[in-house]
Amino acid sequence: QVQLQESGPGLVKPSETLSLTCTVSGGSISSYYWSWIRQPPGKGLEWIGDISYSGSTSYNPSLKSRVTISGDTSKNQFSLKLSFVTAADTAVYYCARTRGLGGPYYFDYWGQGTLVTVSS
Amino acid sequence: DIQMTQSPSSLSASVGDRVTITCRASQSISSYLNWYQQKPGKAPKLLIYDTSSLQSGVPSRFSGSGSGTDFTLTISSLQPEDFATYYCQQSYSTPKTFGQGTKVEIK
C-alpha cells in the first residue's frame, strides 16, 4: 500500500520560502508522477505542479515563477519550494501520487496534508 | 486555463436518495475528467477517473458519465458515509483544474 507523508514548517514568514517534503513508502518515486496540491482554509483545491519518474516537471502557470519541485530517489522523497510567500499562500498542502504515464492523469494516493500558515 | 463549474454548490439529501452532481468544463476536455470525495479534515479520495472508471475499492453505487464539456457523478443510493464534498478535476490540459466543490448534506 502506497503511503505519502508531508513534512515541513507549519509557519512561514511573508516574503520567505515555503519548503515541504513528501516521503513515499510502499512504492518508488522512480515510477509514476508525483504532485503537489493545495487547499486554502474553507476553499477548493489548486494543483501546484508535478514531477515525473524521470525528473521532468510541470507547474501551474499562476505559480510557476515561484515554484520548484524536485525529487530525491535515494530517500524516496520529493519536495516543494514556494518562494516569496504571502498570506494568500496559507493552505493545507497535499502531496499525491499521480497516474498519467501513457493514459489518464489522476491523483490516486494522497498524503494527509499539512497546514502551512504565512504570518509574521 | 480550463474552468470547471459544478452544480449545485450544495445539496441536501436523505439516505437512500439518488444524487446527481454536474460538472461543466469551459471547453471540451474529451473524457479527461476525474471525481474526488473529501470529508472534513481529510485528504480527497479518488472515486472515478477518465469520466467513468471506478477506482478500486470504491462502491459501485458511484458512477460517472459524460463527454466533451458536460459530466455527471451519480450516487445511486446515498449512504451515511457519503455525506461529504465532491470535486471534479480535468486532466486534459495544464494547469489541471478542479471544480469549486459540491457539498452533500443530510436532509
Short mmCIF file of all heavy atoms in Angstrom, two decimals, chain A residues 1-2 4 6 35-40 43-47 92-97 106-114, chain B residues 6 34-48 55 58 84-89 98-101:
data_model
loop_
_atom_site.label_atom_id
_atom_site.label_comp_id
_atom_site.label_asym_id
_atom_site.label_seq_id
_atom_site.Cartn_x
_atom_site.Cartn_y
_atom_site.Cartn_z
N GLN A 1 0.85 -1.19 0.00
CA GLN A 1 0.00 0.00 0.00
C GLN A 1 0.89 1.25 0.00
O GLN A 1 1.72 1.43 0.87
CB GLN A 1 -0.90 -0.01 1.24
CG GLN A 1 -1.80 1.18 1.37
CD GLN A 1 -3.02 1.09 0.47
OE1 GLN A 1 -3.08 0.25 -0.46
NE2 GLN A 1 -4.01 1.94 0.71
N VAL A 2 0.67 2.10 -0.94
CA VAL A 2 1.45 3.34 -1.04
C VAL A 2 0.99 4.31 0.05
O VAL A 2 -0.20 4.48 0.28
CB VAL A 2 1.26 3.98 -2.42
CG1 VAL A 2 1.98 5.31 -2.49
CG2 VAL A 2 1.75 3.04 -3.51
N LEU A 4 1.96 8.32 1.66
CA LEU A 4 2.68 9.57 1.49
C LEU A 4 2.54 10.40 2.76
O LEU A 4 1.47 10.43 3.37
CB LEU A 4 2.13 10.36 0.30
CG LEU A 4 2.22 9.71 -1.09
CD1 LEU A 4 0.98 8.89 -1.40
CD2 LEU A 4 2.43 10.77 -2.16
N GLU A 6 3.58 14.30 4.27
CA GLU A 6 4.17 15.61 4.12
C GLU A 6 4.86 16.02 5.41
O GLU A 6 4.41 15.68 6.51
CB GLU A 6 3.10 16.66 3.78
CG GLU A 6 2.24 16.38 2.57
CD GLU A 6 1.01 15.57 2.87
OE1 GLU A 6 0.87 15.07 4.02
OE2 GLU A 6 0.15 15.43 1.98
N SER A 35 2.70 14.77 -7.40
CA SER A 35 2.15 16.12 -7.46
C SER A 35 2.05 16.79 -6.10
O SER A 35 2.02 16.12 -5.06
CB SER A 35 0.74 16.10 -8.07
OG SER A 35 0.75 15.65 -9.40
N TRP A 36 1.98 18.11 -6.16
CA TRP A 36 1.61 18.93 -5.01
C TRP A 36 0.30 19.66 -5.33
O TRP A 36 0.15 20.22 -6.43
CB TRP A 36 2.70 19.94 -4.68
CG TRP A 36 3.92 19.33 -4.06
CD1 TRP A 36 5.08 18.98 -4.69
CD2 TRP A 36 4.10 18.97 -2.69
NE1 TRP A 36 5.97 18.44 -3.79
CE2 TRP A 36 5.40 18.42 -2.55
CE3 TRP A 36 3.30 19.07 -1.54
CZ2 TRP A 36 5.91 17.97 -1.33
CZ3 TRP A 36 3.81 18.62 -0.32
CH2 TRP A 36 5.09 18.08 -0.22
N ILE A 37 -0.59 19.66 -4.37
CA ILE A 37 -1.90 20.28 -4.49
C ILE A 37 -2.16 21.01 -3.18
O ILE A 37 -1.76 20.53 -2.11
CB ILE A 37 -2.99 19.20 -4.71
CG1 ILE A 37 -2.73 18.46 -6.03
CG2 ILE A 37 -4.39 19.81 -4.70
CD1 ILE A 37 -3.21 17.04 -6.03
N ARG A 38 -2.80 22.18 -3.25
CA ARG A 38 -3.07 22.90 -2.01
C ARG A 38 -4.53 23.30 -1.90
O ARG A 38 -5.26 23.34 -2.90
CB ARG A 38 -2.16 24.12 -1.88
CG ARG A 38 -2.48 25.25 -2.86
CD ARG A 38 -1.50 26.41 -2.63
NE ARG A 38 -1.80 27.53 -3.51
CZ ARG A 38 -1.12 28.68 -3.47
NH1 ARG A 38 -0.10 28.85 -2.63
NH2 ARG A 38 -1.45 29.67 -4.29
N GLN A 39 -4.93 23.62 -0.67
CA GLN A 39 -6.32 23.96 -0.39
C GLN A 39 -6.36 25.02 0.70
O GLN A 39 -6.16 24.71 1.88
CB GLN A 39 -7.10 22.72 0.04
CG GLN A 39 -8.58 22.95 0.25
CD GLN A 39 -9.33 21.65 0.48
OE1 GLN A 39 -8.84 20.73 1.12
NE2 GLN A 39 -10.53 21.56 -0.05
N PRO A 40 -6.61 26.27 0.35
CA PRO A 40 -6.77 27.31 1.38
C PRO A 40 -7.91 26.95 2.31
O PRO A 40 -8.87 26.28 1.90
CB PRO A 40 -7.08 28.57 0.57
CG PRO A 40 -6.53 28.29 -0.80
CD PRO A 40 -6.74 26.82 -1.01
N LYS A 43 -11.70 26.52 1.31
CA LYS A 43 -11.82 26.75 -0.14
C LYS A 43 -11.52 25.47 -0.93
O LYS A 43 -11.40 24.38 -0.36
CB LYS A 43 -10.87 27.88 -0.55
CG LYS A 43 -11.24 29.22 0.07
CD LYS A 43 -10.41 30.34 -0.49
CE LYS A 43 -10.84 31.68 0.10
NZ LYS A 43 -10.04 32.82 -0.45
N GLY A 44 -11.42 25.62 -2.24
CA GLY A 44 -11.24 24.47 -3.12
C GLY A 44 -9.79 24.11 -3.33
O GLY A 44 -8.88 24.65 -2.71
N LEU A 45 -9.58 23.18 -4.25
CA LEU A 45 -8.28 22.59 -4.50
C LEU A 45 -7.57 23.27 -5.67
O LEU A 45 -8.20 23.61 -6.68
CB LEU A 45 -8.46 21.10 -4.81
CG LEU A 45 -9.07 20.28 -3.68
CD1 LEU A 45 -9.70 19.00 -4.22
CD2 LEU A 45 -8.02 19.95 -2.62
N GLU A 46 -6.26 23.42 -5.53
CA GLU A 46 -5.44 24.02 -6.58
C GLU A 46 -4.23 23.15 -6.84
O GLU A 46 -3.44 22.87 -5.92
CB GLU A 46 -4.99 25.43 -6.18
CG GLU A 46 -4.13 26.11 -7.23
CD GLU A 46 -3.67 27.50 -6.84
OE1 GLU A 46 -3.45 27.74 -5.64
OE2 GLU A 46 -3.53 28.35 -7.74
N TRP A 47 -4.06 22.74 -8.07
CA TRP A 47 -2.88 21.96 -8.47
C TRP A 47 -1.68 22.90 -8.58
O TRP A 47 -1.75 23.93 -9.26
CB TRP A 47 -3.16 21.28 -9.80
CG TRP A 47 -2.02 20.51 -10.38
CD1 TRP A 47 -1.58 19.28 -10.01
CD2 TRP A 47 -1.20 20.90 -11.49
NE1 TRP A 47 -0.53 18.87 -10.81
CE2 TRP A 47 -0.28 19.86 -11.73
CE3 TRP A 47 -1.15 22.04 -12.31
CZ2 TRP A 47 0.68 19.91 -12.74
CZ3 TRP A 47 -0.20 22.10 -13.31
CH2 TRP A 47 0.70 21.04 -13.52
N VAL A 92 -3.66 24.16 3.30
CA VAL A 92 -3.23 22.79 3.52
C VAL A 92 -2.57 22.32 2.23
O VAL A 92 -3.16 22.45 1.15
CB VAL A 92 -4.42 21.88 3.89
CG1 VAL A 92 -3.96 20.42 3.98
CG2 VAL A 92 -5.05 22.33 5.20
N TYR A 93 -1.36 21.81 2.36
CA TYR A 93 -0.62 21.34 1.20
C TYR A 93 -0.61 19.81 1.20
O TYR A 93 -0.27 19.19 2.21
CB TYR A 93 0.81 21.88 1.24
CG TYR A 93 0.88 23.34 0.87
CD1 TYR A 93 0.50 24.33 1.78
CD2 TYR A 93 1.32 23.75 -0.39
CE1 TYR A 93 0.54 25.68 1.44
CE2 TYR A 93 1.37 25.09 -0.74
CZ TYR A 93 0.97 26.05 0.18
OH TYR A 93 1.00 27.38 -0.17
N TYR A 94 -1.03 19.26 0.07
CA TYR A 94 -1.06 17.81 -0.09
C TYR A 94 -0.04 17.37 -1.13
O TYR A 94 0.14 18.04 -2.15
CB TYR A 94 -2.43 17.36 -0.60
CG TYR A 94 -3.61 17.59 0.32
CD1 TYR A 94 -4.46 18.66 0.12
CD2 TYR A 94 -3.88 16.72 1.37
CE1 TYR A 94 -5.56 18.86 0.93
CE2 TYR A 94 -4.98 16.91 2.19
CZ TYR A 94 -5.82 17.99 1.97
OH TYR A 94 -6.90 18.19 2.79
N CYS A 95 0.57 16.22 -0.88
CA CYS A 95 1.32 15.56 -1.95
C CYS A 95 0.49 14.35 -2.39
O CYS A 95 -0.30 13.80 -1.61
CB CYS A 95 2.71 15.14 -1.51
SG CYS A 95 2.83 14.05 -0.06
N ALA A 96 0.65 13.98 -3.64
CA ALA A 96 -0.18 12.91 -4.19
C ALA A 96 0.56 12.14 -5.28
O ALA A 96 1.31 12.73 -6.07
CB ALA A 96 -1.47 13.49 -4.78
N ARG A 97 0.34 10.83 -5.30
CA ARG A 97 0.83 10.04 -6.42
C ARG A 97 -0.08 10.31 -7.60
O ARG A 97 -1.31 10.40 -7.44
CB ARG A 97 0.85 8.56 -6.11
CG ARG A 97 1.61 7.75 -7.16
CD ARG A 97 1.61 6.28 -6.87
NE ARG A 97 0.39 5.61 -7.30
CZ ARG A 97 0.24 4.30 -7.39
NH1 ARG A 97 1.25 3.51 -7.07
NH2 ARG A 97 -0.91 3.78 -7.78
N TYR A 106 -4.56 11.29 -13.07
CA TYR A 106 -5.38 11.48 -11.88
C TYR A 106 -4.54 11.17 -10.64
O TYR A 106 -3.50 10.54 -10.71
CB TYR A 106 -6.62 10.58 -11.90
CG TYR A 106 -6.35 9.11 -12.17
CD1 TYR A 106 -6.13 8.22 -11.12
CD2 TYR A 106 -6.32 8.62 -13.47
CE1 TYR A 106 -5.88 6.88 -11.36
CE2 TYR A 106 -6.08 7.27 -13.72
CZ TYR A 106 -5.87 6.41 -12.67
OH TYR A 106 -5.62 5.08 -12.91
N PHE A 107 -5.04 11.67 -9.49
CA PHE A 107 -4.34 11.57 -8.21
C PHE A 107 -4.94 10.41 -7.42
O PHE A 107 -6.06 10.53 -6.90
CB PHE A 107 -4.47 12.88 -7.43
CG PHE A 107 -4.18 14.09 -8.27
CD1 PHE A 107 -5.19 14.99 -8.58
CD2 PHE A 107 -2.90 14.34 -8.75
CE1 PHE A 107 -4.95 16.10 -9.36
CE2 PHE A 107 -2.64 15.45 -9.55
CZ PHE A 107 -3.66 16.34 -9.85
N ASP A 108 -4.21 9.30 -7.31
CA ASP A 108 -4.83 8.12 -6.70
C ASP A 108 -4.44 7.88 -5.25
O ASP A 108 -5.17 7.20 -4.52
CB ASP A 108 -4.61 6.87 -7.56
CG ASP A 108 -3.14 6.50 -7.74
OD1 ASP A 108 -2.26 7.31 -7.39
OD2 ASP A 108 -2.90 5.40 -8.26
N TYR A 109 -3.32 8.38 -4.81
CA TYR A 109 -2.95 8.29 -3.40
C TYR A 109 -2.54 9.67 -2.93
O TYR A 109 -1.77 10.35 -3.62
CB TYR A 109 -1.80 7.30 -3.19
CG TYR A 109 -2.20 5.85 -3.33
CD1 TYR A 109 -2.05 5.19 -4.53
CD2 TYR A 109 -2.73 5.15 -2.25
CE1 TYR A 109 -2.41 3.86 -4.68
CE2 TYR A 109 -3.10 3.82 -2.38
CZ TYR A 109 -2.94 3.18 -3.59
OH TYR A 109 -3.30 1.87 -3.72
N TRP A 110 -3.02 10.05 -1.75
CA TRP A 110 -2.76 11.37 -1.19
C TRP A 110 -2.12 11.24 0.19
O TRP A 110 -2.39 10.31 0.95
CB TRP A 110 -4.06 12.14 -1.02
CG TRP A 110 -4.81 12.44 -2.28
CD1 TRP A 110 -5.35 11.55 -3.17
CD2 TRP A 110 -5.13 13.74 -2.79
NE1 TRP A 110 -5.98 12.21 -4.19
CE2 TRP A 110 -5.86 13.55 -3.99
CE3 TRP A 110 -4.88 15.04 -2.35
CZ2 TRP A 110 -6.33 14.64 -4.74
CZ3 TRP A 110 -5.35 16.10 -3.09
CH2 TRP A 110 -6.07 15.90 -4.28
N GLY A 111 -1.29 12.24 0.52
CA GLY A 111 -0.86 12.37 1.90
C GLY A 111 -1.99 12.94 2.73
O GLY A 111 -3.03 13.34 2.20
N GLN A 112 -1.79 13.01 4.04
CA GLN A 112 -2.84 13.52 4.93
C GLN A 112 -2.95 15.03 4.86
O GLN A 112 -3.97 15.59 5.28
CB GLN A 112 -2.55 13.09 6.36
CG GLN A 112 -1.28 13.71 6.94
CD GLN A 112 -0.95 13.18 8.33
OE1 GLN A 112 -1.35 12.08 8.70
NE2 GLN A 112 -0.20 13.96 9.10
N GLY A 113 -1.94 15.69 4.31
CA GLY A 113 -1.95 17.14 4.21
C GLY A 113 -1.28 17.80 5.41
O GLY A 113 -1.29 17.26 6.52
N THR A 114 -0.70 18.96 5.15
CA THR A 114 -0.07 19.73 6.22
C THR A 114 -0.44 21.20 6.06
O THR A 114 -0.37 21.74 4.95
CB THR A 114 1.45 19.54 6.22
OG1 THR A 114 2.01 20.18 7.38
CG2 THR A 114 2.12 20.12 4.99
N GLN B 6 -19.16 23.34 -11.10
CA GLN B 6 -20.03 22.29 -10.57
C GLN B 6 -21.38 22.86 -10.15
O GLN B 6 -21.49 24.00 -9.71
CB GLN B 6 -19.38 21.63 -9.34
CG GLN B 6 -18.16 20.82 -9.66
CD GLN B 6 -17.56 20.16 -8.45
OE1 GLN B 6 -16.35 20.27 -8.22
NE2 GLN B 6 -18.36 19.45 -7.65
N ASN B 34 -12.06 13.58 -13.72
CA ASN B 34 -11.97 12.74 -12.53
C ASN B 34 -12.85 13.31 -11.42
O ASN B 34 -13.13 14.51 -11.40
CB ASN B 34 -10.53 12.67 -12.03
CG ASN B 34 -9.55 12.32 -13.14
OD1 ASN B 34 -9.80 11.39 -13.92
ND2 ASN B 34 -8.47 13.06 -13.24
N TRP B 35 -13.27 12.44 -10.52
CA TRP B 35 -14.08 12.85 -9.36
C TRP B 35 -13.42 12.41 -8.06
O TRP B 35 -12.91 11.30 -7.95
CB TRP B 35 -15.46 12.21 -9.44
CG TRP B 35 -16.36 12.73 -10.53
CD1 TRP B 35 -16.56 12.17 -11.76
CD2 TRP B 35 -17.18 13.89 -10.47
NE1 TRP B 35 -17.46 12.93 -12.47
CE2 TRP B 35 -17.86 13.99 -11.71
CE3 TRP B 35 -17.44 14.87 -9.51
CZ2 TRP B 35 -18.76 15.01 -12.00
CZ3 TRP B 35 -18.33 15.88 -9.79
CH2 TRP B 35 -18.99 15.94 -11.02
N TYR B 36 -13.50 13.30 -7.06
CA TYR B 36 -12.93 13.03 -5.73
C TYR B 36 -13.98 13.32 -4.67
O TYR B 36 -14.84 14.20 -4.85
CB TYR B 36 -11.70 13.91 -5.47
CG TYR B 36 -10.61 13.73 -6.50
CD1 TYR B 36 -10.63 14.44 -7.69
CD2 TYR B 36 -9.56 12.83 -6.28
CE1 TYR B 36 -9.64 14.27 -8.65
CE2 TYR B 36 -8.57 12.65 -7.24
CZ TYR B 36 -8.62 13.37 -8.41
OH TYR B 36 -7.64 13.19 -9.36
N GLN B 37 -13.85 12.63 -3.55
CA GLN B 37 -14.68 12.85 -2.38
C GLN B 37 -13.78 13.34 -1.25
O GLN B 37 -12.71 12.76 -1.02
CB GLN B 37 -15.34 11.53 -1.96
CG GLN B 37 -16.15 11.60 -0.68
CD GLN B 37 -16.46 10.20 -0.17
OE1 GLN B 37 -15.59 9.44 0.25
NE2 GLN B 37 -17.73 9.82 -0.22
N GLN B 38 -14.21 14.38 -0.56
CA GLN B 38 -13.43 14.87 0.57
C GLN B 38 -14.32 15.04 1.80
O GLN B 38 -15.35 15.70 1.74
CB GLN B 38 -12.74 16.20 0.25
CG GLN B 38 -11.80 16.66 1.35
CD GLN B 38 -11.07 17.96 1.03
OE1 GLN B 38 -11.62 18.84 0.37
NE2 GLN B 38 -9.82 18.08 1.48
N LYS B 39 -13.89 14.44 2.89
CA LYS B 39 -14.56 14.62 4.18
C LYS B 39 -13.79 15.62 5.02
O LYS B 39 -12.59 15.81 4.80
CB LYS B 39 -14.70 13.27 4.87
CG LYS B 39 -15.59 12.31 4.09
CD LYS B 39 -15.77 10.98 4.77
CE LYS B 39 -16.69 10.09 3.92
NZ LYS B 39 -16.88 8.75 4.52
N PRO B 40 -14.46 16.28 5.96
CA PRO B 40 -13.80 17.34 6.74
C PRO B 40 -12.51 16.88 7.40
O PRO B 40 -12.47 15.83 8.05
CB PRO B 40 -14.86 17.71 7.77
CG PRO B 40 -16.16 17.38 7.10
CD PRO B 40 -15.89 16.15 6.29
N GLY B 41 -11.45 17.66 7.20
CA GLY B 41 -10.17 17.37 7.82
C GLY B 41 -9.39 16.24 7.19
O GLY B 41 -8.34 15.85 7.70
N LYS B 42 -9.89 15.73 6.06
CA LYS B 42 -9.23 14.60 5.40
C LYS B 42 -8.79 14.99 3.99
O LYS B 42 -9.28 15.95 3.41
CB LYS B 42 -10.19 13.41 5.30
CG LYS B 42 -10.67 12.90 6.66
CD LYS B 42 -9.54 12.31 7.46
CE LYS B 42 -10.05 11.66 8.74
NZ LYS B 42 -8.95 11.11 9.55
N ALA B 43 -7.87 14.21 3.46
CA ALA B 43 -7.45 14.40 2.08
C ALA B 43 -8.54 13.92 1.14
O ALA B 43 -9.34 13.04 1.48
CB ALA B 43 -6.16 13.62 1.82
N PRO B 44 -8.60 14.49 -0.04
CA PRO B 44 -9.53 13.97 -1.05
C PRO B 44 -9.22 12.51 -1.37
O PRO B 44 -8.09 12.05 -1.25
CB PRO B 44 -9.27 14.86 -2.26
CG PRO B 44 -8.74 16.13 -1.69
CD PRO B 44 -7.90 15.69 -0.53
N LYS B 45 -10.28 11.82 -1.80
CA LYS B 45 -10.17 10.40 -2.17
C LYS B 45 -10.67 10.26 -3.59
O LYS B 45 -11.75 10.75 -3.93
CB LYS B 45 -11.03 9.57 -1.22
CG LYS B 45 -11.18 8.11 -1.60
CD LYS B 45 -12.20 7.42 -0.71
CE LYS B 45 -12.49 6.00 -1.16
NZ LYS B 45 -13.54 5.36 -0.34
N LEU B 46 -9.90 9.57 -4.43
CA LEU B 46 -10.30 9.36 -5.82
C LEU B 46 -11.47 8.39 -5.88
O LEU B 46 -11.42 7.29 -5.31
CB LEU B 46 -9.12 8.79 -6.60
CG LEU B 46 -9.40 8.42 -8.07
CD1 LEU B 46 -9.69 9.67 -8.90
CD2 LEU B 46 -8.22 7.64 -8.65
N LEU B 47 -12.52 8.81 -6.59
CA LEU B 47 -13.69 7.93 -6.80
C LEU B 47 -13.71 7.38 -8.22
O LEU B 47 -13.86 6.17 -8.42
CB LEU B 47 -14.98 8.71 -6.57
CG LEU B 47 -15.26 9.29 -5.20
CD1 LEU B 47 -16.56 10.09 -5.23
CD2 LEU B 47 -15.33 8.19 -4.16
N ILE B 48 -13.60 8.27 -9.19
CA ILE B 48 -13.77 7.92 -10.60
C ILE B 48 -12.72 8.65 -11.40
O ILE B 48 -12.47 9.84 -11.16
CB ILE B 48 -15.19 8.28 -11.07
CG1 ILE B 48 -16.20 7.31 -10.45
CG2 ILE B 48 -15.30 8.26 -12.60
CD1 ILE B 48 -17.63 7.68 -10.67
N GLN B 55 -12.56 3.72 -9.38
CA GLN B 55 -11.31 3.40 -8.69
C GLN B 55 -11.50 2.14 -7.85
O GLN B 55 -12.57 1.92 -7.26
CB GLN B 55 -10.87 4.57 -7.83
CG GLN B 55 -9.68 4.33 -6.92
CD GLN B 55 -8.36 4.11 -7.66
OE1 GLN B 55 -8.33 4.00 -8.88
NE2 GLN B 55 -7.27 4.08 -6.93
N VAL B 58 -13.86 1.44 -4.52
CA VAL B 58 -14.98 2.40 -4.42
C VAL B 58 -16.29 1.66 -4.69
O VAL B 58 -16.39 0.90 -5.66
CB VAL B 58 -14.79 3.55 -5.42
CG1 VAL B 58 -16.01 4.47 -5.43
CG2 VAL B 58 -13.53 4.35 -5.05
N ALA B 84 -20.37 14.41 2.24
CA ALA B 84 -19.01 14.90 2.01
C ALA B 84 -19.07 15.97 0.93
O ALA B 84 -20.14 16.31 0.45
CB ALA B 84 -18.11 13.75 1.54
N THR B 85 -17.90 16.49 0.57
CA THR B 85 -17.80 17.42 -0.56
C THR B 85 -17.16 16.69 -1.73
O THR B 85 -16.19 15.94 -1.54
CB THR B 85 -16.97 18.65 -0.17
OG1 THR B 85 -17.62 19.33 0.92
CG2 THR B 85 -16.85 19.62 -1.35
N TYR B 86 -17.70 16.91 -2.90
CA TYR B 86 -17.24 16.23 -4.11
C TYR B 86 -16.65 17.25 -5.08
O TYR B 86 -17.22 18.33 -5.28
CB TYR B 86 -18.41 15.47 -4.76
CG TYR B 86 -18.89 14.34 -3.88
CD1 TYR B 86 -19.78 14.56 -2.85
CD2 TYR B 86 -18.38 13.05 -4.05
CE1 TYR B 86 -20.19 13.54 -2.01
CE2 TYR B 86 -18.78 12.01 -3.22
CZ TYR B 86 -19.69 12.27 -2.20
OH TYR B 86 -20.07 11.25 -1.37
N TYR B 87 -15.52 16.89 -5.66
CA TYR B 87 -14.83 17.75 -6.62
C TYR B 87 -14.62 17.02 -7.94
O TYR B 87 -14.22 15.85 -7.95
CB TYR B 87 -13.45 18.15 -6.09
CG TYR B 87 -13.46 19.05 -4.87
CD1 TYR B 87 -13.38 18.52 -3.59
CD2 TYR B 87 -13.52 20.43 -5.02
CE1 TYR B 87 -13.38 19.35 -2.48
CE2 TYR B 87 -13.51 21.27 -3.91
CZ TYR B 87 -13.45 20.71 -2.64
OH TYR B 87 -13.44 21.54 -1.54
N CYS B 88 -14.84 17.74 -9.03
CA CYS B 88 -14.40 17.23 -10.32
C CYS B 88 -13.06 17.88 -10.65
O CYS B 88 -12.69 18.91 -10.08
CB CYS B 88 -15.43 17.51 -11.42
SG CYS B 88 -15.78 19.26 -11.75
N GLN B 89 -12.33 17.25 -11.56
CA GLN B 89 -10.99 17.73 -11.92
C GLN B 89 -10.72 17.33 -13.37
O GLN B 89 -10.90 16.18 -13.74
CB GLN B 89 -9.93 17.12 -11.00
CG GLN B 89 -8.48 17.44 -11.37
CD GLN B 89 -7.71 16.22 -11.82
OE1 GLN B 89 -7.90 15.12 -11.32
NE2 GLN B 89 -6.80 16.42 -12.77
N PHE B 98 -9.68 22.09 -10.82
CA PHE B 98 -10.77 21.46 -10.09
C PHE B 98 -12.02 22.33 -10.14
O PHE B 98 -11.93 23.57 -10.27
CB PHE B 98 -10.39 21.29 -8.62
CG PHE B 98 -9.27 20.31 -8.37
CD1 PHE B 98 -7.95 20.71 -8.47
CD2 PHE B 98 -9.55 19.00 -7.99
CE1 PHE B 98 -6.91 19.81 -8.22
CE2 PHE B 98 -8.53 18.10 -7.73
CZ PHE B 98 -7.21 18.51 -7.85
N GLY B 99 -13.17 21.70 -9.99
CA GLY B 99 -14.38 22.44 -9.75
C GLY B 99 -14.36 23.00 -8.34
O GLY B 99 -13.49 22.66 -7.53
N GLN B 100 -15.34 23.84 -8.03
CA GLN B 100 -15.36 24.52 -6.74
C GLN B 100 -15.91 23.62 -5.63
O GLN B 100 -15.83 23.99 -4.45
CB GLN B 100 -16.21 25.80 -6.83
CG GLN B 100 -17.72 25.59 -6.70
CD GLN B 100 -18.39 25.13 -7.98
OE1 GLN B 100 -17.74 24.71 -8.95
NE2 GLN B 100 -19.71 25.22 -8.00
N GLY B 101 -16.44 22.48 -5.99
CA GLY B 101 -16.93 21.53 -5.00
C GLY B 101 -18.44 21.56 -4.85
O GLY B 101 -19.09 22.59 -5.06
#
